Each structure stands twice: as C-alpha cells, then as structure tokens.
Amino acid sequence: ETGVTQSPTHLIKTRGQQVTLRCSSQSGHNTVSWYQQALGQGPQFIFQYYREEENGRGNFPPRFSGLQFPNYSSELNVNALELDDSALYLCASSLGGTGVSYEQYFGPGTRLTVT
Amino acid sequence: AQSVSQHNHHVILSEAASLELGCNYSYGGTVNLFWYVQYPGQHLQLLLKYFSGDPLVKGIKGFEAEFIKSKFSFNLRKPSVQWSDTAEYFCAVSPTGRRALTFGSGTRLQVQP
C-alpha cells in the first residue's frame, strides 16, 4: 500500500506567477484535501475534493483552485502568487462518503517560497 | 465555525517524565477529534482519533487521550516520554460527517535525555 505522495518537494516562484502542486492519494482513497501550513502554525484547510467534485472550501480566495482526476490524484493551483503564499502545502487523502467520518493521511508536503 | 486551542506552545521534559498536552475546541455539535504528530523532517502522522464510544482512546507509541465533552477538551497523555517523542503535536477537530480538519497551532515537545 503506497502512501500519499506530493510533487515537487520544493518550489521557488516570483510574486505574480502561477504554480501547480500535485498529489497522489493513498491507494483506495477517493477524497483529497489540501492544507496550507505557514511557519509555526497548524495546517489550514484550503479545500477538499470527493469523486472529482469540490466538497468543501476554507477561507481562501478564488485564486486558489483545484482539480481531482478519475484516479483520485489532485492538483492545487495558485494564481497571482503573493509573498504570504509562502508555506508548506499539504495534501491529505481519506476514504469518503456522505455523513461518514474517516481519518486523513498526509503527504510530506510541498515547500513553496514566493520571492 | 469551529476552533482549536492548544495551550502549551513549547514543552521541555526530561526522559521518563509524564506528559499532558492540552487541547480545547469550540463547536456546538458533535465532533471527531484527532492528535497528529510531526517528527523532525517527517510528515504529519495520525497518533490517535476519537469518533464515538469510549472517551479514553489509545494510540500508537503509548499515547492516549481523553475526550471530556463537558469541557470541550481532548488532552493528550503519555506516562513516560522518551527522547524519540521529540516532535510537534497538533490537535485537530472536524464536525461529525465532514472531513475538513481544523488544527490547533501545535505544541513543540522537546525531550531531553
């Protein structure tokens, strides 16, 4: 059973640019969530995808967008990068289902630095 | 919206000391509760979880946590810490039936040999 993987590991971008981060969910998991973890803080929920549909969103602007593919892998896209977007971006996968609770398994994260 | 408070930001203990990390949450409905650990250089790992039933839950590596509904608390405990427990510990909550987690700001635990 493979765990959650993310790519790239590190990324440096310039303010105003766009970035795409990728996540492969754990085998058998159909739900992917994205979190932003600023230095010294706990992760903050960005959004979640369940069976290729957005299934919840945190307090992030529309320039944060995502996709989930039929194989349940996912992308996080951030447009018009700002300095405050510098953070560790975490992907987590879980099983899904309406009204059902499952634990989430996290990937190693992508460290994004915006200069 | 729910929120999570972790009272201790940085805890320093000697090996064999007992550990208790505080976690309080605010939310009016039923919740699922989690403790995650992040060892240096590693990714977040699930330590233990509470969904329902016995409020005393046991996790990996000798950790346990007790859900006290009346106090909106889910404190993490370990009777005797080891140097290898040095890590950052995060408490998280999600409303029952939803999967978006709200995390506390974390507690950095440093265990001295």
Side-chain angles (χ1 to χ4, degrees), chain A residues 12-25:
Chain A
I12 300 174
K13 289 286 189 178
T14 303
R15 191 171 52 181
Q17 286 187 316
Q18 177 265 341
V19 69
T20 297
L21 310 181
R22 294 178 176 83
C23 170
S24 292
S25 59

Side-chain angles (χ1 to χ4, degrees), chain B residues 26-72:
Chain B
S26 66
Y27 183 72
T30 56
V31 293
N32 301 316
L33 296 155
F34 307 84
W35 276 97
Y36 282 86
V37 60
Q38 193 167 31
Y39 297 103
Q42 296 188 27
H43 60 275
L44 275 170
Q45 298 172 40
L46 182 66
L47 206 50
L48 48 78
K49 62 183 185 286
Y50 172 82
F51 284 171
S52 64
D54 188 344
L56 184 63
V57 293
K58 295 190 185 299
I60 60 172
K61 304 185 180 185
F63 286 91
E64 65 178 31
E66 185 176 11
F67 171 45
I68 303 179
K69 190 175 179 180
S70 60
K71 295 185 177 180
F72 298 89

Side-chain angles (χ1 to χ4, degrees), chain A residues 26-63:
Chain A
Q26 186 166 311
S27 177
H29 287 179
N30 56 15
T31 300
V32 172
S33 303
W34 286 92
Y35 294 82
Q36 180 195 65
Q37 186 177 15
L39 206 59
Q41 301 293 321
Q44 276 197 294
F45 174 69
I46 303 175
F47 45 56
Q48 181 181 92
Y49 279 83
Y50 170 59
R51 292 186 176 178
E52 302 177 58
E53 298 279 335
E54 188 178 290
N55 185 38
R57 188 178 184 93
N59 190 27
F60 280 82
R63 59 189 185 84

